[in-house]
Amino acid sequence: MLSRTADNLFWLARYMERADFLARIVEATQRLSALPGAYSAQGAEWESALESSGAAEGFHVLHETADEASVVDYLAFAPETPSSIRNCLEYARTNARGVRTALTMEMWDTINGAWLELQRFEKLREAGRYDREALSGFLDFVKKASLDFDGSAYRTMLRNDAFYFQRLGLFLERADNTARILDVKYHVLLPETEAVGGSLDYFQWTAILRAVSAHTAYHWVYRASVQPWLVADLLILQKQMPRSLISCYENIARMLDLLGRAYGRQGPAQRHARAVRARLEQATTRDIFQGGLHEFITTFVEDNHRLGVEIADQYLLS
């Protein structure tokens, strides 16, 4: 496979997963900001949305304060935002067009349909007929488009190198997203005066579980009220949770091993992925919290970024 084709497939999956994550972040932040004053995080919710998405620096170049209207516009529609939902869908379609023959008909229809539907939402916004109900419909549409793309890829693609690169991009992006939302929880949302395990803490962790579609899974696994260390355990160390860090890295390592066998050669990307997976397998929730959740997540995000660079060097750059 040409490195350009592999690159398009890899980033197509990443952009679709990123669009889904941003939609979930905006939705979760709306829930948090709607809580009564006694349970609010003193206006930090929308700042947390920017931090989770990695867009805070670019946002504050253009805006002084983070309020709902400005943050939603910046994360959802702004053309100047590199990873706005709008741009993610447009970049995904551009990548899909570049590898049209490597996609199944169902995958292309999902991507192209999502892009066409995006045009309709943008026209509504430009006409001033956009409110919270319309935004809710838009976020649901984005999540459904990502789900349809993921499902069509899983159910219709041949299990060959095209499939491996597509899944590799998806799981690398998903791991980054899960890590970031966990990290932001403690560094932005929870005020210094609020106790861990307090009412605000409870509502924030619940919102995060809902943002990653893990609320029901949490109660199935733990049969307990929402506790910070159990949420961290679910989203970091539970292999049965599809969005957990260890589940993502099991899939990443497997896809890289399959690529290694397909091309008859292993490399730095395979070795690095196995090392990260091994660290996650050896970690415990107690060790993570004793060493600092922020420090653990920061190291993971750096390792995940490094793996992306190694994958690009090994496979995606001609």
Side-chain angles (χ1 to χ4, degrees):
M1 175 180 287
L2 293 174
S3 60
R4 181 181 62 186
T5 303
D7 185 75
N8 283 336
L9 288 165
F10 178 81
W11 280 102
L12 163 59
R14 290 200 71 164
Y15 283 128
M16 290 303 292
E17 184 69 15
R18 192 173 300 175
D20 175 75
F21 173 70
L22 288 170
R24 291 171 181 274
I25 284 294
V26 171
E27 195 172 61
T29 307
Q30 282 185 320
R31 287 198 188 101
L32 285 172
S33 64
L35 290 173
Y39 301 120
S40 70
Q42 301 176 346
E45 298 90 353
W46 291 105
E47 186 67 39
S48 80
L50 294 168
E51 294 286 348
S52 297
S53 59
E57 185 176 347
F59 175 86
H60 287 297
V61 171
L62 302 173
H63 305 275
E64 290 186 6
T65 57
D67 55 36
E68 180 173 356
S70 59
V71 173
V72 167
D73 184 72
Y74 190 78
L75 293 182
F77 297 107
E80 66 271 16
T81 310
S83 292
S84 65
I85 294 174
R86 177 210 177 277
N87 283 344
C88 283
L89 293 178
E90 184 167 337
Y91 297 156
R93 184 174 183 267
T94 299
N95 279 281
R97 288 181 66 186
V99 290
R100 177 68 184 85
T101 56
L103 305 180
T104 64
M105 180 179 66
E106 291 82 0
M107 292 172 70
W108 170 252
D109 286 346
T110 298
I111 294 288
N112 196 49
W115 185 79
L116 293 173
E117 188 70 3
L118 174 65
Q119 311 308 303
R120 186 179 71 83
F121 277 107
E122 285 197 311
K123 287 178 182 177
L124 278 176
R125 175 172 163 268
E126 291 168 1
R129 299 197 302 273
Y130 213 80
D131 53 20
R132 266 206 166 205
E133 184 177 350
L135 176 62
S136 178
F138 173 73
L139 298 177
D140 286 342
F141 142 72
V142 173
K143 291 188 294 180
K144 184 178 184 303
S146 179
L147 185 63
D148 288 347
F149 174 75
D150 189 19
S152 63
Y154 187 79
R155 295 183 65 175
T156 64
M157 287 189 81
L158 286 172
R159 271 30 178 189
N160 57 12
D161 49 356
F163 179 78
Y164 306 151
F165 280 116
Q166 186 269 331
R167 302 306 282 182
L168 196 55
L170 181 148
F171 288 116
L172 197 73
E173 184 68 29
R174 183 174 292 176
D176 183 75
N177 294 340
T178 299
R180 287 180 183 277
I181 196 171
L182 273 171
D183 190 37
V184 167
K185 163 65 185 74
Y186 266 102
H187 273 256
V188 178
L189 282 176
L190 190 67
E192 292 181 2
T193 56
E194 178 70 24
V196 173
S199 57
L200 173 58
D201 199 41
Y202 170 84
F203 283 115
Q204 288 171 355
W205 279 117
T206 300
I208 286 171
L209 286 171
R210 292 187 184 279
V212 294
S213 297
H215 190 254
T216 300
Y218 176 90
H219 291 290
W220 271 104
V221 173
Y222 301 107
R223 308 283 181 177
S225 61
V226 176
Q227 304 292 338
W229 48 93
L230 295 182
V231 177
D233 181 72
L234 180 70
L235 297 183
I236 296 174
L237 303 178
Q238 284 292 334
K239 294 182 180 181
Q240 58 190 317
M241 178 62 205
R243 291 182 182 271
S244 71
L245 303 188
I246 194 166
S247 176
C248 289
Y249 261 79
E250 282 205 326
N251 283 285
I252 288 169
R254 184 163 63 90
M255 292 301 126
L256 283 169
D257 284 344
L258 288 167
L259 282 170
R261 286 199 287 271
Y263 295 138
R265 184 178 179 184
Q266 302 285 321
Q270 280 84 3
R271 291 190 290 272
H272 185 66
R274 292 189 199 112
V276 174
R277 182 183 62 184
R279 284 200 296 273
L280 289 169
E281 288 175 338
Q282 294 163 11
T284 66
T285 309
R286 179 187 296 274
D287 291 340
I288 290 171
F289 274 85
Q290 284 182 346
L293 179 62
H294 172 66
E295 288 73 18
F296 179 88
I297 293 296
T298 298
T299 300
F300 176 85
V301 169
E302 291 171 352
D303 281 338
N304 197 58
H305 174 73
R306 180 182 155 203
L307 178 60
V309 173
E310 289 175 344
I311 291 169
D313 289 342
Q314 191 169 326
Y315 291 113
L316 308 182
L317 298 177
S318 56

